[in-house]
Amino acid sequence: MLDEKILEFARLLRKGGIGVSFTQIADALRSVALVGLAWDDFYTALRCTLIKEQADRPLFDKLFRLFFLTQSGQNAHDNLHLEEETAGQMQGTPELVQSADGKGMGRGGGASPYLLLVKAVREGNYSMLRQLGEMAVKGLGELERGSLPKLDDLVVQAKVAIGWYQAVNRLERIRIQEGIGAVVYAKWMACLDFLDGYIKELLEDIFVKKYGKDALEEIAAAANIREKEFYRLDNLEIQEIRKRITRLARKLASKYTRRYRRAKYGKIDLRRTVRQALITAGTPMRLKYRRKVVSKPEIVLLCDVSGSVALFSEFMLQLVYTIQNRFSAVRSFLFVDLIDEVTDYFKNKDIKEAIEEAFSKARYSYSGFSDYGKVFSIFARRYLSGIPRSCTLIILGDARNNYRSDEKEFLKEIQEHVRKILWFNPQPREQWNKEDSIMRVYSPFCYQVFECGNLRQMEDVIEAIL
């Protein structure tokens, strides 16, 4: 029975994007048999055997809590947050929070929740923060199964219910008026982060208790960083994606080496084989093979860096320049409603430094709103004559033109000049050609158009240019 539970948990981790091998599962089973079923030992045994990277630990902890604690009806939060509380923080909290709920004493009928939130943050009172979080979730009422995909929206609604944004403004004013130092302010922000995460955990617990395994699997799938849309990533996930892109680049580089090595055993070079056979009295004892010429494409990147598309363009620049030895040459341009070449920023510089410098120094925006038609016309007139006809031109963007002129004749001119055009669109395909998206206008001039909104899709499309 326990073996089956651990196997099921391993499948859940895989659904969440954590790679778990059969060897790791076998190690986990042996470890649990040795350490026993005390919660701390059981958790540590699984954590040490089923995950290999520190970055996977937050997701492991979340799924462990939901799978082993929430599903079994235990109070998971008693196990997870005790370390953040102190005895002093517990004093006087329940009465205050009941007061905020409108059941308290005094002429106002109760303290305002946002004032309690300010007080809890200033005092670092995690007990009060937890009770405010429970009050916020309670205020959402009955949760429907269909609202699970919009979990982030529910978190926002819950925060609004307790005056989150009023409290943040109040704290900001206090910081300025009282000259609060950076250390104290960082503790305030940690309290707010804790409450934000706690509200989300409470909502997940409710969905798992109410809707069971289906809800749990949906939460795991939504947490899969490879499947998560780039524009939904938080700061920690962005850092993790950057690391994974670096690993992907190393993998692609080694793949190239293996291909080249196998190429030595391709077609037979008859002339060299016959010449070699003269040494052995005309008997071809050793075959000679033709050397395979590995073609290296020349790449030109046109990167839309407006709004949420900017992050996708940054990831793609990082990937392409990390494996630039796979190409004969790489040129890159950033655009919004102007376009500027940033190739020189990537010469002899660290990738991170080069991207920061390119984004901060290049002149690619005048109004801040994308204008693909204007960008294509500038590119065709200013840069196209210097672009070799053998190159592959890649456009990274969502084709949202803000209802401006499409100037498609300039994209046609570019298409006739280069070898082929590939378009990587980070928006979901179902959002194309809606509102100001004019993907249908530009796609006839492209050799291929790809949806590329998450890491898995990026891994797929990079094969198209290698």
Side-chain angles (χ1 to χ4, degrees):
M1 182 65 180
L2 182 61
D3 292 358
E4 290 178 7
K5 294 290 283 185
I6 292 175
L7 283 171
E8 194 177 344
F9 181 60
R11 282 195 291 270
L12 190 67
L13 291 176
R14 287 172 178 163
K15 192 171 275 291
I18 298 176
V20 181
S21 67
F22 290 115
T23 305
Q24 287 175 280
I25 295 172
D27 289 343
L29 294 172
R30 281 195 294 271
S31 302
V32 170
L34 288 172
V35 302
L37 296 178
W39 276 117
D40 286 347
D41 295 337
F42 180 67
Y43 162 80
T44 304
L46 292 189
R47 196 192 76 198
C48 293
T49 51
L50 294 180
I51 59 173
K52 294 182 287 187
E53 298 183 24
Q54 185 66 20
D56 291 331
R57 183 171 171 181
L59 179 56
F60 175 89
D61 287 348
K62 177 207 286 273
L63 296 181
F64 182 89
R65 171 175 59 82
L66 294 172
F67 185 81
F68 288 108
L69 300 176
T70 304
Q71 270 197 329
S72 63
Q74 299 196 38
N75 189 347
H77 299 284
D78 285 347
N79 293 286
L80 295 177
H81 298 296
L82 285 176
E83 70 277 8
E84 288 151 343
E85 297 176 352
T86 64
Q89 291 164 352
M90 300 290 289
Q91 294 175 359
T93 299
E95 293 77 8
L96 277 172
V97 176
Q98 283 177 6
S99 173
D101 207 15
K103 301 172 185 175
M105 300 73 69
R107 290 190 300 173
S112 173
Y114 93 88
L115 291 176
L116 284 180
L117 178 53
V118 171
K119 175 181 171 62
V121 169
R122 295 193 69 181
E123 294 176 356
N125 190 331
Y126 282 86
S127 177
M128 188 185 292
L129 289 171
R130 292 174 70 184
Q131 294 189 56
L132 284 166
E134 288 156 12
M135 180 199 303
V137 172
K138 188 179 176 183
L140 294 177
E142 196 71 17
L143 296 175
E144 299 294 333
R145 174 70 176 83
S147 57
L148 179 54
K150 299 176 181 175
L151 193 63
D152 291 338
D153 294 339
L154 290 176
V155 172
V156 173
Q157 291 177 29
K159 287 159 67 173
V160 169
I162 56 172
W164 173 282
Y165 299 101
Q166 289 172 282
V168 170
N169 287 334
R170 182 68 173 262
L171 287 167
E172 187 63 26
R173 287 201 302 272
I174 293 172
R175 184 183 70 85
I176 296 170
Q177 291 168 359
E178 299 183 8
I180 300 297
V183 175
V184 174
Y185 190 66
K187 289 181 179 178
W188 291 3
M189 293 299 104
C191 287
L192 292 173
D193 288 343
F194 165 80
L195 181 56
D196 182 87
Y198 185 64
I199 291 172
K200 189 169 186 178
E201 288 178 2
L202 288 174
L203 290 169
E204 289 169 345
D205 287 350
I206 292 172
F207 278 111
V208 171
K209 284 178 180 173
K210 193 170 181 180
Y211 301 106
K213 185 179 175 183
D214 288 346
L216 181 56
E217 289 187 350
E218 188 169 336
I219 290 170
N224 188 340
I225 198 169
R226 290 184 71 241
E227 301 284 347
K228 200 167 187 177
E229 287 92 350
F230 291 137
Y231 70 89
R232 291 184 182 277
L233 298 174
D234 60 31
N235 288 334
L236 287 176
E237 291 169 334
I238 290 171
Q239 297 301 324
E240 177 58 22
I241 288 286
R242 287 181 178 136
K243 291 178 186 174
R244 293 194 181 207
I245 287 175
T246 302
R247 289 202 294 270
L248 172 64
R250 284 201 294 266
K251 182 180 172 184
L252 290 170
S254 63
K255 190 175 180 180
Y256 167 79
T257 303
R258 290 198 298 272
R259 277 184 184 171
Y260 187 79
R261 196 180 301 135
R262 282 200 298 271
K264 291 182 179 179
Y265 303 95
K267 292 182 179 178
I268 294 174
D269 187 334
L270 189 60
R271 185 179 62 82
R272 291 176 60 219
T273 300
V274 170
R275 180 180 294 175
Q276 180 71 23
L278 295 176
I279 303 174
T280 54
T283 302
M285 300 292 289
R286 185 175 297 175
L287 297 177
K288 293 292 182 180
Y289 296 91
R290 289 181 182 175
R291 180 173 297 174
K292 184 177 180 180
V293 178
V294 181
S295 63
K296 289 187 173 184
E298 185 168 349
I299 298 293
V300 175
L301 292 171
L302 268 58
C303 308
D304 183 352
V305 290
S306 62
S308 59
V309 188
L311 186 60
F312 164 64
S313 294
E314 181 192 325
F315 289 153
M316 188 57 81
L317 281 169
Q318 180 193 345
L319 179 58
V320 169
Y321 275 99
T322 305
I323 59 170
Q324 60 181 314
N325 63 324
R326 296 289 309 270
F327 310 110
S328 59
V330 178
R331 291 181 68 181
S332 48
F333 299 80
L334 304 185
F335 72 87
V336 176
D337 56 350
L338 300 174
I339 184 166
D340 196 7
E341 182 166 8
V342 294
T343 307
D344 288 343
Y345 294 111
F346 290 88
K347 291 180 180 176
N348 304 318
K349 285 183 181 173
D350 173 73
I351 296 292
K352 183 181 177 184
E353 180 188 352
I355 290 175
E356 288 177 355
E357 200 165 333
F359 274 63
S360 62
K361 293 185 176 178
R363 295 182 67 253
Y364 50 78
S365 178
Y366 180 76
S367 67
F369 298 99
S370 298
D371 187 344
Y372 283 77
K374 183 179 177 184
V375 166
F376 291 145
S377 68
I378 296 174
F379 183 80
R381 285 186 278 105
R382 188 179 300 170
Y383 299 106
L384 194 58
S385 59
I387 300 293
R389 291 185 175 275
S390 58
C391 85
T392 298
L393 186 136
I394 300 172
I395 301 170
L396 314 177
D398 57 6
R400 292 200 172 276
N401 205 36
N402 293 293
Y403 305 102
R404 291 169 169 167
S405 173
D406 56 55
E407 307 284 356
K408 61 184 179 184
E409 62 274 15
F410 289 102
L411 185 59
K412 184 173 186 297
E413 183 182 343
I414 296 169
Q415 178 211 14
E416 291 170 349
H417 182 87
V418 301
R419 177 166 164 257
K420 61 182 177 183
I421 295 177
L422 304 176
W423 193 305
F424 297 163
N425 192 327
Q427 287 207 319
R429 194 175 288 270
E430 58 269 20
Q431 294 181 17
W432 296 5
N433 306 316
K434 292 182 179 176
E435 300 175 345
D436 59 341
S437 171
I438 52 172
M439 201 65 226
R440 65 176 176 278
V441 175
Y442 294 136
S443 57
F445 306 106
C446 301
Y447 180 74
Q448 281 180 291
V449 176
F450 299 91
E451 178 185 343
C452 187
N454 56 43
L455 184 59
R456 181 186 58 76
Q457 291 173 337
M458 178 181 274
E459 291 170 358
D460 293 340
V461 300
I462 196 67
E463 294 284 351
I465 61 174
L466 294 178

